[in-house]
Amino acid sequence: MSNFKMKVLHIVPWLLVLCSMFFKGSCGSEKVNIGAIFTLGTLTGKVSKIAMNAAVDDINSDPKVLGGRTLSLQIHDSNYNGFLSIMGALQFMETDTVAIIGPQTSLMAHVLSHLANELHIPLLSFSALDPTLSPIQYPYFFQTAPSDLFQMAAVAEIVNYFRWTQVTAIFTDDEQSRNGITALGDKLAEKRGKISYKAVLPPDIRGNLSVVKQELEKVKNKESRVLVVHTLNTFGPIILEAAEQLGMIGEGYVWIATSWLPANLDSTPSPKLYKNSQGVITLRPHTPDSQKKKAFISRWNNLSKGSTGLNVYGLYAYDTVWLIARAIDAFLRQGNNISFSNDPALTAVGGGDMNLSALSIFDGGKDLLNFILGSNMTGLTGPIWYNPDRALANPSYDVINIVGRQTRQIGYWANYSGLSVIAPETLRERPQNRSGASQKLRSVVWPGGTKNQPRGWVFPRDGRKLRVGVPLRVSFPDFVYVDNQTHAPRGYCIDVFEAAIKLLPYAVPHEFIFFGDGHRNPSYSDLVSRITTGEFDAAVGDIAIVTNRTRIADFTQPYADSGLVVVAPVKKLSSSDWAFLRPFTPLMWVVTAVFFLVVGAVIWILEHRLNDEFRGPPSKQIMTILWFSFSTLFFAHRENTVSTLGRVVLVIWLFVVLIIQSSYTASLTSFLTVQQLTSSIKGIDSLITSSAPIGFQVGSYAENYLREELNIPRSRLKPLNSPQEYADALKAGRVAAVVDEQPYVDLFLSNYCQFAVAGQEFTKSGWGFAFKRDSPLALDMSTAILQLSENGSLQNITERNLKQKHACPSNVVNDSEQLRLENFVGLFLICGVACILALIIYFSIMLYQFHQHHLPQHTEPSSQSSSRSARIKTFLSFADKKEDLSQRKLKRKRISASMPTHGSEPVEIESGGKSSKSENFRSYRDDNGNSNIWN
């Protein structure tokens, strides 16, 4: 009996294998169960149900997929109810479901992902595209369509392409819409844009059109006219209907809708929706054209029986089912079995009527998860595969403009290439280029039927005026002051602001609010900081544009130049008998005089042996050197130079004298006409190196600049509040100088001529109007200021307000009043080198001649040392001896004689019938009979 049992046990496994091969369905279940959770009453639910059933039919009719097994799809209708979504998921997990498509909303995706993590059931959704559905937190959740993170990146790039900086976000308060708008804010920040206002609608606005209109009324009063609508497919048309009734789908507005709009227009192209969306820019996930896609589109009418049109969600639904089927097929081909086991954690809970123990863990869930991650297929939507970060590869969108009854495609957006009019799949074959020049879209027809790009911003219509902070100045009222009669601000800065604001293409109601106590000039940095707190919307006045202020506010184009200068007390130079010496520094005079003597001595040395004018008694020669040296100053030297080296040195020296003379004349002229002032402070450098106190205007940025940039101790800085305090402090010596901005200094010096600007302006800045960060008013006002400058109005305002009543001389104390040696080092160096080279050449020739003609040819060794002094005396005598010019000319003639040519015969020349013993002369007669003599 035992043997029989052993045989039976051995045969049973083979019987089971045969049974599974030939009698499928009779030996056990061969179904593979998957589920889907959708609200079938919605547009997405309707389209998805048809597409998923079509995919299941295609899979089951293909024997190559699932090894002949049957894919079974169960669709649960959540009916807009989150609780029913949870119950549907629990039911699927009681029936050995290996994967679930859905849920439809991101809120339920967050909830059901926890259950999927516990039971190892993959969730795949093409409509829950919340960017916060992290694969780290929810490893069993997959998005089979591009996440809204990429869609918001596309919206931000469109906003940046048209150079808008602010948008108003309109969205329903559900998980997906709210988190999508958060992602939009992040993407706009990367482009230096922002969401200026968020219009939050209730999670379900069906039947609540009045609530939507009430919120849109607030949007209408805001400054931004770039409106981004991100919501579910069901609620988008309601928002556009309310906007159309409020007259907001018109000229001047910009509407950007996310993918909900083309999904509605593709499925239910109602005339009402087209009317309400004229000029809207929208995005649709890009699906490349293919034969497979065209074939499915041609089947759609038969599949849907005309109940609804096909949109992109239908394509993603079809591909999602195929993605699951291929992953299961790969799972089974690896020899894995579909099996489930009880969850000990759920079994231990027990109790009550909840049958939690019926929920089981999919044993192969982790393996199936990996097969989904490793998928690489091509579906209706194009290539499908996942990046390491679990995001679908190559996300891209069609950029669409609604015009009439058409969805007019104006370009594409792709994560790889940005905005383009070329299809993303074509651009991916080229090198990546995200430069600004490559970003391009076709022309847009905007709301109202205009092709002119809207400005995207208007002044708010909420009835509140622009609150403009104005400094209540105590000093220099020419720039800003209070009219005693109207108590309104007046002055140069106010006139510029009013003239600019009149040039804006829209009205800007505004009111001026004074800032300050009226006793001291207010802090301008404090005034600008009040913009960030909301106390002011703008600040107008003589406000310098400096780094610290630009970090907290936006400034317009400068309307006036302003930089820091040093004002110091000066005195007129009294007439002096020695005023002619002022152009040169003492060192310059000394060096110039030395060079006159040196050059004279060099010329004398070079001319002494040849030129009778440089010979004579010692006293005469000294006078000749002195006379020749200083007469060259006026080019009045009488002595002629006959040596080549002497002439070269003289020419160079005369050039140097010419430059020195011209410089002296120009400098002396300047001293005697313009430069009549002097001061111990020559500029900011001399002020820093001194330890003297420095005055500054209260409220000016000069104090911070002196302390923080120039590191001047606070103890040296003295605050001054008015021009009179400037003058008193400078006269009394309480401050050595005052550092202030150029426009203030110009007005101050027009009334106080005993002071002057020392040195040059040492900072470059300008005055501008301050506005809130990213305020479009700053840009528009800058344009208006440029127009004022171009048409001459700005200059007229300046002359009218800042015309100086008194004219002082040009009081400027320069750092370099006198010409220094450093200005002529190059000239003196050239002249010195020329003198040295000339002397070297001259003495070299002298030594050579002396060696050839005046040293004995043979000297006894014993007498060499004793004759050294004699040789020196002989050399000095030779150097002092006048050279015969006629003999030199004769030698030159002999040396220049040419060598004998071919056919010449040497002829011996005799003097007095005898051959010369001192010099051996030979003559050669050439072919023409001429004689050539050489030594």
Side-chain angles (χ1 to χ4, degrees):
M1 187 68 181
S2 60
N3 292 334
F4 177 79
K5 289 183 178 179
M6 292 295 294
K7 291 180 180 180
V8 170
L9 293 175
H10 182 72
I11 295 173
V12 166
W14 291 103
L15 292 174
L16 291 175
V17 172
L18 291 173
C19 182
S20 63
M21 293 178 61
F22 299 103
F23 304 97
K24 292 180 181 178
S26 62
C27 301
S29 176
E30 292 299 328
K31 288 184 179 180
V32 179
N33 296 320
I34 63 172
I37 303 174
F38 284 89
T39 298
L40 299 181
T42 63
L43 178 63
T44 301
K46 294 176 183 178
V47 174
S48 299
K49 179 181 178 181
I50 299 171
M52 288 188 294
N53 286 328
V56 170
D57 292 341
D58 292 343
I59 292 168
N60 288 333
S61 62
D62 188 348
K64 297 179 182 179
V65 184
L66 298 179
R69 292 175 176 81
T70 302
L71 184 66
S72 176
L73 172 66
Q74 299 295 323
I75 301 177
H76 176 79
D77 186 1
S78 61
N79 196 25
Y80 300 98
N81 192 301
F83 176 75
L84 294 179
S85 296
I86 297 174
M87 296 305 298
L90 292 174
Q91 290 176 9
F92 288 144
M93 293 174 184
E94 290 179 359
T95 57
D96 296 342
T97 301
V98 299
I100 297 175
I101 302 175
Q104 186 171 337
T105 63
S106 295
L107 173 61
M108 296 314 303
H110 281 277
V111 174
L112 297 183
S113 291
H114 291 284
L115 188 59
N117 290 347
E118 180 67 25
L119 300 179
H120 299 179
I121 307 296
L123 285 176
L124 296 91
S125 179
F126 49 84
S127 58
L129 304 176
D130 182 356
T132 65
L133 286 166
S134 168
I136 298 175
Q137 184 179 8
Y138 308 119
Y140 283 86
F141 179 79
F142 291 86
Q143 290 174 332
T144 58
S147 166
D148 279 345
L149 178 67
F150 300 106
Q151 184 169 207
M152 294 308 160
V155 172
E157 201 140 3
I158 292 172
V159 171
N160 182 68
Y161 175 80
F162 291 108
R163 298 183 181 179
W164 299 312
T165 58
Q166 297 185 29
V167 304
T168 295
I170 304 172
F171 60 98
T172 49
D173 194 15
D174 58 82
E175 198 83 4
Q176 179 164 327
S177 302
R178 182 172 57 252
N179 292 334
I181 292 300
T182 301
L184 174 62
D186 295 339
K187 293 298 181 181
L188 285 172
E190 294 176 5
K191 306 289 185 182
R192 301 198 64 175
K194 70 173 186 177
I195 299 175
S196 59
Y197 180 73
K198 293 182 179 180
V200 185
L201 301 173
D204 190 350
I205 58 175
R206 289 174 297 171
N208 291 325
L209 187 63
S210 60
V211 174
V212 179
K213 293 173 68 174
Q214 183 178 357
E215 186 61 34
L216 291 183
E217 283 284 2
K218 299 177 184 178
V219 173
K220 194 174 182 180
N221 292 326
K222 300 300 178 182
E223 60 185 28
S224 176
R225 284 292 182 265
V226 181
L227 313 178
V228 178
V229 183
H230 182 54
T231 185
L232 302 180
N233 297 343
T234 304
F235 306 138
I238 301 173
I239 296 173
L240 288 182
E241 182 181 357
E244 200 278 333
Q245 292 182 10
L246 292 174
M248 297 176 66
I249 311 292
E251 190 169 351
Y253 284 90
V254 176
W255 287 85
I256 301 176
T258 52
S259 57
W260 60 266
L261 180 56
N264 279 280
L265 292 175
D266 291 341
S267 294
T268 56
S270 67
K272 183 178 181 180
L273 182 56
Y274 270 111
K275 176 188 175 184
N276 295 338
S277 58
Q278 289 299 296
V280 175
I281 294 176
T282 185
L283 296 169
R284 175 173 56 203
H286 175 69
T287 56
D289 292 332
S290 64
Q291 292 298 326
K292 187 184 295 187
K293 176 182 172 181
K294 292 178 181 178
F296 186 77
I297 293 173
S298 64
R299 293 171 53 196
W300 184 256
N301 284 334
N302 293 330
L303 294 173
S304 64
K305 297 182 175 55
S307 61
T308 183
L310 174 64
N311 61 27
V312 71
Y313 293 109
L315 303 177
Y316 279 111
Y318 184 89
D319 282 350
T320 300
V321 176
W322 270 97
L323 178 65
I324 295 173
R326 292 188 181 279
I328 295 173
D329 182 63
F331 172 81
L332 295 174
R333 289 181 183 275
Q334 291 295 323
N336 297 306
N337 294 320
I338 298 175
S339 61
F340 294 84
S341 59
N342 292 331
D343 188 348
L346 297 177
T347 305
V349 174
D353 295 331
M354 297 182 65
N355 189 16
L356 295 179
S357 61
L359 301 177
S360 55
I361 296 176
F362 177 27
D363 296 330
K366 188 174 182 180
D367 292 328
L368 182 60
L369 174 74
N370 292 329
F371 282 113
I372 294 174
L373 285 174
S375 298
N376 191 349
M377 57 172 280
T378 300
L380 302 181
T381 58
I384 301 172
W385 53 279
Y386 286 94
N387 288 320
D389 60 356
R390 294 275 296 270
L392 279 174
N394 305 321
S396 55
Y397 292 86
D398 299 332
V399 184
I400 298 170
N401 184 209
I402 310 302
V403 182
R405 294 293 300 273
Q406 295 180 343
T407 54
R408 176 171 166 264
Q409 187 159 336
I410 59 174
Y412 305 90
W413 179 90
N415 193 43
Y416 175 80
S417 54
L419 296 173
S420 175
V421 295
I422 303 174
E425 54 270 19
T426 302
L427 290 177
R428 278 194 289 270
E429 298 174 358
R430 305 177 183 178
Q432 188 175 27
N433 183 8
R434 293 296 296 267
S435 64
S438 67
Q439 305 300 291
K440 189 176 181 181
L441 291 175
R442 298 185 181 93
S443 61
V444 180
V445 177
W446 303 99
T450 180
K451 291 187 177 181
N452 297 324
Q453 180 185 328
R455 188 172 58 250
W457 180 89
V458 295
F459 192 76
R461 300 177 182 177
D462 54 5
R464 183 176 63 83
K465 295 181 178 180
L466 187 75
R467 293 168 297 179
V468 180
V470 178
L472 186 57
R473 292 196 57 86
V474 175
S475 59
F476 299 106
D478 303 75
F479 299 106
V480 178
Y481 68 93
V482 182
D483 191 305
N484 293 328
Q485 296 181 351
T486 62
H487 303 288
R490 293 288 183 268
Y492 168 68
C493 302
I494 304 301
D495 288 353
V496 174
F497 177 78
E498 293 286 6
I501 213 165
K502 289 178 182 178
L503 294 178
L504 298 181
Y506 47 87
V508 181
H510 58 277
E511 59 177 338
F512 294 110
I513 304 172
F514 284 104
F515 176 75
D517 57 11
H519 302 290
R520 295 168 61 89
N521 291 332
S523 170
Y524 281 38
S525 295
D526 191 15
L527 171 61
V528 175
S529 67
R530 298 297 178 95
I531 297 176
T532 62
T533 63
E535 182 176 343
F536 300 128
D537 299 316
V540 170
D542 44 339
I543 305 171
I545 305 172
V546 294
T547 304
N548 290 338
R549 296 171 186 172
T550 57
R551 292 192 180 108
I552 60 176
D554 282 352
F555 281 84
T556 62
Q557 164 89 11
Y559 63 88
D561 293 330
S562 172
L564 293 179
V565 293
V566 177
V567 180
V570 295
K571 60 180 180 180
K572 288 189 176 181
L573 293 174
S574 58
S575 300
S576 171
D577 296 337
W578 303 97
F580 67 90
L581 296 176
R582 290 192 61 220
F584 289 164
T585 61
L587 180 61
M588 179 64 185
W589 280 116
V590 171
V591 173
T592 303
V594 169
F595 260 84
F596 271 109
L597 295 175
V598 169
V599 172
V602 170
I603 296 294
W604 179 85
I605 293 172
L606 299 176
E607 295 289 325
H608 178 66
R609 297 186 71 240
L610 303 174
N611 196 337
D612 289 336
E613 295 181 354
F614 288 88
R615 300 184 62 81
S619 58
K620 179 185 176 183
Q621 296 183 47
I622 292 175
M623 292 302 298
T624 299
I625 292 173
L626 294 176
W627 165 253
F628 183 84
S629 299
F630 292 101
S631 63
T632 56
L633 177 63
F634 309 101
F635 307 101
H637 50 286
R638 296 175 302 178
E639 294 79 9
N640 295 320
T641 54
V642 297
S643 67
T644 303
L645 292 175
R647 289 174 178 175
V648 170
V649 172
L650 183 60
V651 168
I652 294 175
W653 173 242
L654 291 178
F655 174 75
V656 173
V657 169
L658 176 64
I659 299 301
I660 293 176
Q661 186 187 62
S662 301
S663 302
Y664 174 85
T665 304
S667 181
L668 182 62
T669 303
S670 176
F671 275 115
L672 295 178
T673 56
V674 179
Q675 300 285 6
Q676 297 291 331
L677 305 171
T678 184
S679 170
S680 59
I681 302 298
K682 305 300 182 182
I684 187 61
D685 293 332
S686 60
L687 187 61
I688 293 173
T689 56
S690 71
S691 59
I694 305 170
F696 66 90
Q697 183 183 176
V698 174
S700 171
Y701 77 96
E703 179 186 11
N704 289 336
Y705 185 86
L706 293 173
R707 284 196 297 107
E708 297 175 4
E709 300 296 332
L710 302 183
N711 298 318
I712 297 177
R714 185 190 294 269
S715 59
R716 290 182 57 191
L717 303 180
K718 308 298 179 184
L720 303 173
N721 206 44
S722 66
Q724 186 60 46
E725 289 188 23
Y726 287 12
D728 294 342
L730 290 170
K731 289 178 182 177
R734 294 197 301 272
V735 296
V738 173
V739 175
D740 205 352
E741 298 174 58
Q742 186 72 58
Y744 303 124
V745 171
D746 290 340
L747 284 179
F748 171 71
L749 295 180
S750 67
N751 296 311
Y752 298 91
C753 296
Q754 63 270 42
F755 308 103
V757 174
Q760 303 296 324
E761 187 179 61
F762 59 91
T763 66
K764 290 294 182 182
S765 182
W767 287 351
F769 306 132
F771 294 89
K772 290 182 178 180
R773 293 299 301 268
D774 302 318
S775 172
L777 257 179
L779 179 61
D780 291 349
M781 286 291 286
S782 294
T783 304
I785 291 171
L786 287 175
Q787 292 179 7
L788 290 176
S789 177
E790 291 171 356
N791 61 27
S793 300
L794 186 60
Q795 181 64 25
N796 294 335
I797 295 173
T798 303
E799 293 178 354
R800 184 173 67 248
N801 287 274
L802 304 180
K803 185 178 181 180
Q804 297 181 359
K805 300 177 182 179
H806 307 284
C808 291
S810 179
N811 296 353
V812 178
V813 180
N814 291 327
D815 288 335
S816 302
E817 293 182 345
Q818 295 177 304
L819 295 173
R820 304 175 183 274
L821 179 62
E822 292 82 358
N823 303 121
F824 302 95
V825 167
L827 286 173
F828 287 132
L829 183 62
I830 293 173
C831 185
V833 170
C835 290
I836 293 172
L837 290 177
L839 291 176
I840 292 173
I841 295 172
Y842 175 75
F843 282 112
S844 298
I845 295 173
M846 288 276 295
L847 290 173
Y848 176 77
Q849 293 177 351
F850 179 75
H851 177 76
Q852 289 292 323
H853 300 287
H854 292 273
L855 285 180
Q857 297 297 325
H858 301 285
T859 305
E860 294 295 330
S862 60
S863 61
Q864 287 182 2
S865 58
S866 62
S867 62
R868 181 176 301 171
S869 58
R871 281 184 292 175
I872 294 174
K873 291 180 181 180
T874 304
F875 175 76
L876 293 176
S877 177
F878 172 76
D880 185 61
K881 182 179 179 182
K882 184 176 184 301
E883 184 177 354
D884 189 357
L885 287 178
S886 60
Q887 185 177 1
R888 172 178 283 199
K889 292 178 182 178
L890 179 59
K891 288 184 177 181
R892 288 177 181 173
K893 184 176 181 181
R894 293 168 181 169
I895 292 172
S896 63
S898 62
M899 295 297 293
T901 60
H902 179 71
S904 299
E905 297 179 355
V907 179
E908 220 177 271
I909 305 297
E910 295 185 358
S911 178
K914 297 181 181 180
S915 299
S916 175
K917 296 181 180 180
S918 60
E919 295 178 350
N920 185 19
F921 292 91
R922 293 186 180 182
S923 174
Y924 287 86
R925 191 177 303 276
D926 58 22
D927 295 336
N928 296 323
N930 299 321
S931 297
N932 294 309
I933 302 173
W934 60 282
N935 179 260

